[in-house]
Amino acid sequence: MENAPDTVIDVRQLDVYQKDYLILSQVNLSMRRGEFVYLIGKTGTGKSSLLRTLYADLPVQAGEVEVCGYGLNGLRDKEIPYLRRRIGIVFQDFQLLMDRNIHDNLMFVLKATAWKDKDAMEQRIEEVLDKVGLKTQAYKMPYRLSGGEQQRVAIARALLNEPELILADEPTGNLDPGTSEEIMRLLVEISKGGCAVLLATHDFLMISKFPSRILMCADGRIKEEAF
């Protein structure tokens, strides 16, 4: 597939399966660097399955998919870690390691993605925590942080490898409205810095406060939606 240099997602005629069940059919989707796009739809309409396909957790069985320069058709297992270094993933339930402090959560990811220089690793941890407003919280355990602070750590973790794309699956789903707005402001700011953000949500209040392009999952298809 030939794409513009700033294209981070190019999906053509994709069928999304969960096991043997067709969840979404003939998906066409393109995103450019720095775009902020909402993916909306009721529970069970395929939002999470599409995101899982984009970070190679579900295989491409029909159609063509390119993400951050990697063709996902026939992507080999050994290539998946390199793809995921270009993608930041943010989950609803944070998925932090609860037996180690915030600094060590982030250090774990850097080691797992082949960072070697200790000074560079320490500097990068400090940079991402500063970006999400948690520079002084590095040595706290996750359970000592609020839900919003834990989600900020999850976003810091997603930023460690300077991704071209963030995939966020209901990142405000477990947060109160005020904290949700803080997290949304942070993600919008990240997109303005050049990192594309694809955010699955059903939080229409946040969509109204931070209007942007919308994709709707419904009836097994994805279509552009005006809000």
Side-chain angles (χ1 to χ4, degrees), residues 18-175:
Q18 276 273 26
K19 297 183 178 178
D20 295 327
Y21 295 98
L22 181 63
I23 306 296
L24 290 167
S25 64
Q26 297 183 334
V27 175
N28 293 289
L29 165 61
S30 180
M31 276 185 70
R32 291 175 177 261
R33 191 182 305 275
E35 262 199 290
F36 190 102
V37 178
Y38 292 106
L39 183 63
I40 67 173
K42 295 178 180 178
T43 300
T45 54
K47 302 188 301 296
S48 294
S49 296
L50 176 59
L51 296 185
R52 289 179 62 196
T53 301
L54 295 176
Y55 63 82
D57 195 44
L58 292 176
V60 176
Q61 298 188 40
E64 293 183 273
V65 182
E66 186 173 303
V67 178
C68 298
Y70 283 82
L72 270 54
N73 299 71
L75 187 72
R76 292 176 293 178
D77 286 348
K78 68 180 182 179
E79 294 177 296
I80 292 175
Y82 296 98
L83 164 70
R84 290 183 181 166
R85 286 178 203 174
R86 298 194 180 187
I87 301 172
I89 305 169
V90 180
F91 300 98
Q92 179 177 348
D93 58 356
F94 320 138
Q95 297 198 8
L96 300 176
L97 301 169
M98 301 305 287
D99 63 343
R100 61 194 74 190
N101 63 33
I102 300 313
H103 171 277
D104 291 350
N105 264 267
L106 302 181
M107 184 62 76
F108 177 86
V109 173
L110 291 177
K111 288 178 179 177
T113 51
W115 286 61
K116 303 294 184 187
D117 186 315
K118 186 69 160 49
D119 290 340
M121 294 160 82
E122 294 291 349
Q123 180 179 345
R124 187 59 185 153
I125 288 171
E126 186 174 322
E127 287 170 353
V128 295
L129 286 178
D130 188 34
K131 190 172 185 69
V132 302
L134 293 176
K135 191 172 182 178
T136 64
Q137 309 294 318
Y139 292 96
K140 281 190 176 179
M141 299 297 286
Y143 58 78
R144 293 185 58 200
L145 301 179
S146 68
E149 288 171 331
Q150 289 188 53
Q151 191 60 290
R152 285 175 177 270
V153 174
I155 293 169
R157 179 182 59 196
L159 292 173
L160 281 169
N161 285 300
E162 299 185 273
E164 300 171 42
L165 168 67
I166 285 182
L167 302 174
D169 195 357
E170 300 282 1
T172 63
N174 288 330
L175 305 175

Side-chain angles (χ1 to χ4, degrees), residues 1-15:
M1 297 190 291
E2 292 186 10
N3 300 316
D6 62 348
T7 298
V8 293
I9 296 177
D10 190 8
V11 175
R12 302 182 190 180
Q13 299 296 308
L14 169 68
D15 290 343

Side-chain angles (χ1 to χ4, degrees), residues 196-225:
V197 176
L198 179 59
L199 190 152
T201 186
H202 58 261
D203 190 338
F204 288 92
L205 177 60
M206 289 301 113
I207 294 173
S208 67
K209 288 187 174 182
F210 302 93
S212 196
R213 182 180 165 205
I214 297 173
L215 302 173
M216 164 73 86
C217 286
D219 303 319
R221 297 295 180 100
I222 290 183
K223 63 179 181 178
E224 294 271 351
E225 187 83 359

